[in-house]
Amino acid sequence: MSEKAVLVTGACGEIGQALVQHLAQRGGFRIVTADLAALPETIRPLSSEHVQGDLVNKVKTFYDYDFDIIFHLAASLSSKAEISTEEAHRINVEGTMQLLMLAAYRSEKYKKQVKFLFPSSIAAYGFDNLEAKHAAGRVKEETCNTPHTMYGCNKLYCEKLGMYYSRYNGQRHLDPQPPVMCDFRAIRFPGLISAFTLPSGGTSDYGPDMLHAAAQGQPYACFVRPDSRISFMAMPDAIQALLMLADAPREKLSHVVYNIASFSLTAGEFRQRALQAFPSAQITFQPNPRRQGIVDSWPEDVDDSLARLEWHWKPVYDVDKFFDEYFIPEIKKRYRHPNRRTNE
Ligand code: SER
């Protein structure tokens, strides 16, 4: 069987690094990576080619590549995006638009659907106050699509662009012989936690930051209140979800955007878990009003029944398994051997 050509943008990010490792382990892929930064040593040998630089200016480079799948992970995350809104919009929207146009062009010209996998986010939802958040509980994809952040607006709009380019491009779906369009699929991820990499620029970062600090014996001041609740997920489950959705037969998918969930936890519960594993951890709470506001606008949990039904999504790690079998053992090894190569 011939290799599939895959593009992973944002390859140096947390999802990117873990995904490249999984694709390489699975085999059968020629992996091209793109990022603003040079690849970390841990994944450098796994990439057949790395395109370094601003994606918006680099997309034209990719018009000659015969990609079967594009994992477009490059993004400016929610807290960072609030500080530089225009730049975030350029990265998050313009970069996605450029790549979607490329996928649409190649699908039509070569009559072969390019798959386009897009990580959306719980930031696509938005609640005006805590009462509304609590009342909503586990939200379904089509509800409460009123994001409060630039990042959330960007993600929601890009979901719509993906639907446009994969279904209605130029209204040519109405032609007697409609062109082959790209195959866009998106997952709304909860806060992701890796034992091997640290997030930056996000608002769900307090979860992983708190645990990484505890494991290193460093004090941590959490920037949200202890009662703040959103959903989280182990990085290996997030990667598994991306690969499962990429593999799902198109005819089984009634939607282009899917929630996935594994566990929902408050910041206070995170602290308890951190203290169980690292009893001397020093974790305090110093809420930052703006970041608190973002977390308060996000759902407590999401309803992922559509993904479970249509592409058999099911997380491996519930909250106990996440801490006991993934995060705590791996992070203890990591900080005992800080130079250990990552391995999701
Ligand atoms: N983890 C992301 C953030 O905090 C949300 O998708 O920005």
Side-chain angles (χ1 to χ4, degrees):
M1 209 182 74
S2 65
E3 284 190 322
K4 282 198 185 319
V6 175
L7 172 65
V8 179
T9 73
C12 299
E14 288 204 282
I15 307 179
Q17 292 190 47
L19 178 66
V20 168
Q21 286 178 334
H22 269 71
L23 291 172
Q25 268 164 24
R26 210 193 227 206
F29 298 104
R30 194 175 91 81
I31 306 168
V32 176
T33 50
D35 203 286
L36 261 183
L39 285 181
E41 201 195 308
T42 45
I43 58 168
R44 203 170 296 150
L46 311 178
S47 167
S48 64
E49 185 181 344
H50 183 57
V51 176
Q52 188 177 347
D54 188 331
L55 186 66
V56 177
N57 304 324
K58 292 284 179 188
V59 171
K60 56 183 180 303
T61 322
F62 295 128
Y63 268 76
D64 294 330
Y65 289 59
D66 184 15
F67 292 125
D68 297 286
I69 314 179
I70 295 172
F71 291 94
H72 176 40
L73 311 177
S76 172
L77 292 183
S78 57
S79 285
K80 188 169 176 202
E82 288 307 294
I83 296 164
S84 313
T85 47
E86 207 176 334
E87 177 64 358
H89 185 278
R90 197 184 71 79
I91 295 167
N92 295 345
V93 176
E94 194 55 30
T96 306
M97 168 92 176
Q98 293 290 333
L99 270 181
L100 280 168
M101 285 167 61
L102 162 76
Y105 168 82
R106 289 211 54 110
S107 298
E108 179 170 356
K109 178 149 190 206
Y110 298 100
K111 299 190 175 17
K112 190 178 92 175
Q113 279 199 307
V114 176
K115 273 187 198 167
F116 196 111
L117 272 289
F118 182 69
S120 188
S121 164
I122 50 169
Y125 299 103
F127 299 100
D128 284 342
N129 52 55
L130 282 176
E131 290 71 40
K133 170 171 168 147
H134 296 324
R138 299 174 71 228
V139 294
K140 283 192 187 296
E141 286 85 349
E142 62 279 8
T143 57
C144 318
N145 290 174
T146 46
H148 285 205
T149 59
M150 174 53 73
Y151 172 75
C153 292
N154 296 163
K155 287 292 184 188
L156 189 60
Y157 175 57
C158 287
E159 291 176 1
K160 305 291 180 204
L161 282 180
M163 188 184 287
Y164 171 79
Y165 278 108
S166 60
R167 289 190 182 171
Y168 312 116
N169 189 4
Q171 301 310 304
R172 282 175 299 147
H173 61 298
L174 301 171
D175 289 356
Q177 287 190 321
V180 174
M181 297 193 191
C182 64
D183 181 355
F184 178 85
R185 305 168 179 206
I187 292 178
R188 286 194 185 153
F189 282 116
L192 301 181
I193 308 180
S194 166
F196 302 98
T197 51
L198 267 166
S200 71
T203 314
S204 60
D205 295 4
Y206 61 88
D209 282 350
M210 186 187 293
L211 298 174
H212 280 264
Q216 294 172 87
Q218 293 171 357
Y220 182 72
C222 180
F223 56 79
V224 295
R225 294 183 315 268
D227 66 298
S228 309
R229 177 186 290 280
I230 57 169
S231 55
F232 287 92
M233 178 173 290
M235 187 60 81
D237 272 337
I239 302 303
Q240 201 49 39
L242 274 175
L243 298 177
M244 285 176 81
L245 183 57
D247 287 343
R250 181 72 255 177
E251 63 276 11
K252 300 275 184 209
L253 305 177
S254 65
H255 287 59
V256 295
V257 177
Y258 293 87
N259 282 339
I260 58 169
S262 56
F263 55 90
S264 167
L265 217 57
T266 65
E269 288 164 340
F270 257 106
R271 180 175 179 276
Q272 284 307 322
R273 294 276 182 166
L275 282 170
Q276 275 166 24
F278 307 102
S280 55
Q282 299 164 57
I283 301 165
T284 53
F285 291 92
Q286 288 176 27
N288 168 307
R290 291 183 184 173
R291 296 182 101 183
Q292 180 72 62
I294 293 175
V295 171
D296 287 346
S297 78
W298 289 352
E300 291 187 344
D301 205 354
V302 297
D303 181 333
D304 61 357
S305 43
L306 201 59
R308 288 180 183 252
L309 181 73
E310 294 190 359
W311 44 279
H312 311 298
W313 153 252
K314 192 173 182 290
V316 170
Y317 296 96
D318 61 16
V319 66
D320 289 328
K321 205 165 163 153
F322 165 77
F323 281 101
D324 299 343
E325 294 178 30
Y326 170 66
F327 194 83
I328 301 297
E330 290 299 346
I331 207 161
K332 281 186 173 164
K333 279 189 249 167
R334 174 189 163 114
Y335 291 116
R336 213 178 296 139
H337 306 288
N339 296 324
R340 195 166 75 94
R341 291 166 77 88
T342 69
N343 180 14
E344 286 283 351

